[in-house]
Amino acid sequence: MSINEIQDEIIEEFDLFDDWMDRYEYIIDLGKKLPLIDASLKTEERLIKGCQSLVWLNAKQEEDKIIFTADSDAIITKGIIALLVRVLSNQNAKDIAETELYFIDKIGLKEHLSPNRSNGLVSMVKQMKLYGAALK
Amino acid sequence: MTINTLNKNNTIIDFEKIRADFPLLQRDMNGKPIVFLDSGASSQKPQYVIDAMNDYYTNQHANVHRGVYRLSQEATDAFEKSRRLAQHFINAPSEKEVLFVSGTTDGINLVASSYGRKFLKEGDEVLISAMEHHSNIVPWQMACELAGAHLKVIPINDEGELLMEEFDQLLNERTKIVAVNHISNSLGTINPVKEIIEKAHAIGVPVLVDGAQAAPHMKIDVQALDADFYTFSGHKVFGPTGIGILYGKEKWLNAMPPYKGGGDMIETCTFEKTTYNELPHKFEAGTPDIAGVIGLGAAIEYVQQIGHEAIGQHEQELLEYATTELKKIEGIRLIGTAKNKASVISFLLDGSHPYDVGTILDKLGIAVRTGHHCTQPLMKRLGVPGTIRASFAFYNNKEDIDKLVEGVKRAKRMLS
Ligand SMILES: Cc1ncc(COP(=O)(O)O)c(C=O)c1O
C-alpha cells in the first residue's frame, strides 16, 4: 500500500471511535504491541531526546525501501510511533522524504506532534524524512 | 476592591466564592470545566489585577521618571506605589532595596552577574543545593566559569530535605555566596533558609533566596530572615508575567556594579565617563514594564487582603487531603515527602510514564505539570525521569483534588 492509502486507512479506523477515551485506549494498545526495538539498537546515536519522553529510531535500507523500528519510554508516544512506523516503514525512500503526514491531524492527535510538546515525535518524523532524503 | 472572599462581616474568608474572582477558572479545557493544578508554574489572575492593568493602559499611560507633565507624574506615582506595596509585602526596610526585575530568573542573573563580577575570584566557591531550579543553577555556573570559581552543591536525602550537616561541611572561607530556594518547585520542600542564613552570616557569607515558590504561599519577611537577596516572580503571585522583585541589602547593592546599562540608571553620562543613578534606579535600565509593575502591585494588594495566614491554612488542608487521597491509590509513589511542605505534590504511577498520565489528565480537563520541572539534576539525584506535579493555590478546593484522584485512577486503568 502507498503511504497515503495507509494514512486513509488509519483515518477510517479512527472514525469508528466515538470519543477520546476509545482513541487513546487504542493508541495505548498499539504502544504495548509495538515490537520493541532490539535492545542493542537503543544507543545514544539512535536516541532522539525530547524533554518529556525519549524516542529511539532505527532505519535499515532494503533496496530502495527503508525499514523503521522505534521505541519510546512513554506508552502513548510509543502508540503514535506505531502509527508512524506503519505509515512510513517499508516505503520508498523518495516517498518518505516527500510525503505529507495528514493523518495525525485528522485523527485528533495533532497536539502530540506540536513542536513544543517536546516528546521527541516531531524530531522523529524529521529524522525519518531525512533518512528518506539521504537514501533516495 | 471587590473580593469574593470575605463574608458579610468582612472577616472569614470564603474560599468557595474566591474562584469567581478568577475569570480563567470559568473556562473549559477539552470540553470539561478546567481543574487548574499548575499554579506552581504560573498562577491565574484575579479580575482586580486585569482591571488595574487595563485601567493603566486606558487612562494612565506615560513613561515614568521622565515627564514634567501631569500624566507622567501620575504614572510614576502609580509605579512607585507598587514598589512600596512590594516593600511591605516582603517587609523590606527601605524601598531603595526593592528592585523591579523581569522575574526570578532575571533577579538571580542580576546578582550572579553583578555580585559575581565584583566578588568572585579564582578558587572561590558558590554554594547551591541539589534541589535548585535551573534558574538558580545556570547563572551561577556562568559566573563561576567567568571567575574560575567552583560550584558546590548541598546534597539532599531521599525525602527531599537538605542535609544540613553536609551544608555545615561545605560552608567555608572559600564560599563567597550561598543561593538556595525557599520552597522547592518540584518537591514542595520548605527549606530552613533562616538557619542557612544564620550559619552563612556567622562566617560573613551572604545568601540569596529564590522565593519564586514561597511568595504565593507564605508571608515573606526579609528582615526576620536577614536575607541578603530575595527574589520572586509576579506571575506566580497572581500578577502578570514579565515582572518580578529582587530585594537586596543596600550595602551589597551599593557595592555591586550595574547589571545593564541604559536610560534611567545613569546620573550623568558623557562619552568619557558615566556616573550611576542611586538605588534602586541604578539597576533599572531602560523603560520598565510599567503595566506589569502596576499589575504586580494590584496582585499584592489582592493577596494581602486575603492574608497569608488564611491562604496557608487553606492550602495546608488541601495538601493533607490530596496526600491522603493520592496515597490510597495502589502504585502511587510520592516524590518529595519532607516534613515541611508547601502545596506541591509530585508523584509517579508505577509502570507509567509521567507524560502518559499527564496526557490522560489533560483530556479530563485537569492541568498538571509533567516532566523534570526545570530541575534535571534533582530528577537525576532521585533517579526518576520526571514526575507528575499537582500544585495548588488558594483558589483550588477539595473537589479539584477529588477530580485529580479520579483522573489518576482512570489513567492507571487505561495505562496498565
Ligand atoms: C524555584 C523556582 N525558581 C525559579 C523559577 C523561575 O521563575 P521565572 O521563570 O518566573 O523567572 C521558578 C519557576 O518555575 C521556580 O519555581
Side-chain angles (χ1 to χ4, degrees):
Chain A
M1 272 203 281
S2 77
I3 288 180
N4 285 359
E5 279 165 359
I6 302 173
Q7 294 202 73
D8 294 340
E9 189 183 71
I10 293 174
I11 293 167
E12 245 174 69
E13 282 170 23
F14 272 77
D15 270 348
L16 299 174
F17 299 131
D18 293 335
D19 65 0
W20 70 270
M21 276 280 281
D22 297 340
R23 281 206 297 273
Y24 274 84
E25 301 232 344
Y26 181 64
I27 291 162
I28 290 165
D29 230 35
L30 287 176
K32 287 179 186 158
K33 282 198 202 117
L34 181 71
L36 287 178
I37 198 170
D38 199 83
S40 67
L41 294 176
K42 276 189 168 182
T43 59
E44 190 69 24
E45 307 97 75
R46 291 183 181 85
L47 177 64
I48 297 167
K49 284 200 182 97
C51 116
Q52 296 252 356
S53 56
L54 305 173
V55 171
W56 291 267
L57 174 69
N58 184 54
K60 194 169 69 177
Q61 192 174 13
E62 278 183 9
E63 293 166 14
D64 61 343
K65 297 203 155 122
I66 306 178
I67 316 288
F68 290 112
T69 47
D71 201 353
S72 170
D73 57 348
I75 198 94
I76 292 173
T77 308
K78 210 163 138 185
I80 296 167
I81 288 176
L83 292 173
L84 288 165
V85 166
R86 176 166 152 203
V87 170
L88 292 178
S89 185
N90 212 6
Q91 296 287 346
N92 189 289
K94 184 163 177 291
D95 295 343
I96 294 170
E98 289 168 5
T99 194
E100 191 211 330
L101 290 173
Y102 53 82
F103 82 101
I104 292 283
D105 198 355
K106 285 266 165 61
I107 63 174
L109 292 177
K110 188 176 71 182
E111 75 250 34
H112 290 278
L113 253 87
S114 111
N116 44 28
R117 188 89 177 187
S118 62
N119 53 11
L121 281 175
V122 174
S123 313
M124 179 177 114
V125 170
K126 213 184 268 169
Q127 193 63 38
M128 287 170 125
K129 291 190 160 204
L130 280 177
Y131 277 123
L135 302 176
K136 75 181 174 195
Chain B
M1 189 186 325
T2 47
I3 287 192
N4 287 306
T5 49
L6 304 181
N7 70 3
K8 286 188 276 311
N9 310 324
N10 258 13
T11 47
I12 299 166
I13 280 108
D14 187 343
F15 283 102
E16 282 311 312
K17 288 200 188 127
I18 210 163
R19 284 160 103 93
D21 288 347
F22 292 79
L24 189 134
L25 296 177
Q26 321 307 321
R27 65 160 273 181
D28 287 359
M29 187 169 82
N30 288 323
K32 312 248 176 359
I34 192 165
V35 177
F36 189 74
L37 299 175
D38 196 22
S39 296
S42 197
S43 58
Q44 298 304 340
K45 320 304 170 201
Q47 190 64 48
Y48 183 68
V49 168
I50 299 165
D51 286 347
M53 295 176 77
N54 195 6
D55 180 59
Y56 166 72
Y57 275 130
T58 311
N59 297 312
Q60 265 189 326
H61 173 71
N63 212 330
V64 292
H65 305 138
R66 284 166 174 83
V68 292
Y69 52 90
R70 172 70 181 264
L71 185 63
S72 170
Q73 198 49 53
E74 280 178 25
T76 305
D77 289 347
F79 182 87
E80 290 300 330
K81 180 184 163 207
S82 285
R83 197 189 303 276
R84 286 191 299 279
L85 285 166
Q87 179 199 344
H88 294 131
F89 187 61
I90 56 173
N91 193 29
S94 152
E95 57 194 275
K96 284 194 285 194
E97 298 174 305
V98 178
L99 313 182
F100 289 119
V101 290
S102 74
T104 308
T105 304
D106 192 33
I108 298 169
N109 272 280
L110 188 158
V111 178
S113 162
S114 180
Y115 178 93
R117 261 186 296 152
K118 175 88 181 203
F119 295 105
L120 271 188
K121 302 278 174 322
E122 201 173 335
D124 285 347
E125 292 174 2
V126 171
L127 189 50
I128 63 170
S129 91
M131 60 173 107
E132 296 311 315
H133 189 280
H134 295 160
S135 289
N136 201 25
I137 302 174
V138 186
W140 298 112
Q141 275 174 332
M142 289 160 59
C144 284
E145 199 170 325
L146 213 61
H150 305 289
L151 195 65
K152 297 284 169 181
V153 182
I154 311 163
I156 56 169
N157 61 22
D158 292 342
E159 284 69 49
E161 295 166 315
L162 294 179
L163 295 175
M164 290 302 284
E165 320 81 69
E166 302 277 343
F167 167 69
D168 296 342
Q169 297 297 315
L170 284 161
L171 185 70
N172 66 46
E173 67 285 354
R174 288 185 303 279
T175 312
K176 285 290 141 30
I177 190 163
V178 178
V180 289
N181 63 58
H182 201 163
I183 294 180
S184 154
N185 64 310
S186 301
L187 306 175
T189 311
I190 303 174
N191 286 312
V193 288
K194 193 167 159 59
E195 183 187 343
I196 289 172
I197 291 167
E198 262 168 25
K199 287 179 166 167
H201 284 180
I203 61 162
V205 177
V207 178
L208 173 140
V209 181
D210 168 355
Q213 294 295 334
H217 301 295
M218 55 163 68
K219 170 75 193 138
I220 308 300
D221 185 335
V222 293
Q223 293 190 71
L225 289 175
D226 201 18
D228 299 274
F229 301 99
Y230 197 103
T231 183
F232 64 94
S233 302
H235 69 97
K236 294 187 205 270
V237 285
F238 318 98
T241 55
I243 191 71
I245 294 292
L246 171 66
Y247 160 80
K249 278 186 184 164
E250 197 175 344
K251 70 165 178 184
W252 292 118
L253 294 178
N254 275 332
M256 283 155 51
Y259 176 47
K260 292 173 184 163
D264 237 22
M265 56 77 73
I266 59 110
E267 182 187 45
T268 59
C269 175
T270 66
F271 286 120
E272 291 71 38
K273 171 99 188 125
T274 291
T275 55
Y276 302 124
N277 203 337
E278 33 184 74
L279 292 175
H281 309 294
K282 172 180 160 187
F283 288 100
E284 292 177 353
T287 298
D289 178 2
I290 308 168
V293 165
I294 285 167
L296 175 58
I300 288 173
E301 285 182 302
Y302 181 85
V303 171
Q304 285 187 323
Q305 184 91 10
I306 302 170
H308 273 103
E309 203 173 319
I311 290 173
Q313 213 170 3
H314 177 70
E315 290 179 349
Q316 278 302 320
E317 268 172 42
L318 290 182
L319 176 68
E320 273 167 40
Y321 183 64
T323 307
T324 312
E325 293 303 309
L326 280 172
K327 268 186 174 164
K328 287 183 189 160
I329 302 172
E330 208 181 316
I332 277 264
R333 180 149 68 100
L334 297 186
I335 307 293
T337 48
K339 280 182 280 305
N340 262 324
K341 268 189 72 169
S343 54
V344 172
I345 295 195
S346 259
F347 61 94
L348 285 171
L349 200 51
D350 271 354
S352 300
H353 196 285
Y355 180 80
D356 294 328
V357 181
T359 299
I360 291 168
L361 291 178
D362 164 51
K363 290 287 162 199
L364 293 167
I366 303 168
V368 294
R369 179 128 181 233
T370 61
H372 54 62
H373 319 299
C374 297
T375 54
Q376 283 181 2
L378 174 62
M379 296 297 118
K380 197 168 166 209
R381 158 63 183 84
L382 296 170
V384 298
T387 71
I388 304 142
R389 182 190 73 180
S391 52
F392 316 119
F394 55 72
Y395 45 61
N396 290 117
N397 56 24
K398 286 195 172 164
E399 200 184 323
D400 291 335
I401 290 163
D402 291 338
K403 284 183 183 162
L404 171 69
V405 171
E406 273 316 301
V408 173
K409 284 185 185 159
R410 190 147 173 194
K412 188 183 155 186
R413 281 200 299 276
M414 287 178 76
L415 292 166
S416 58

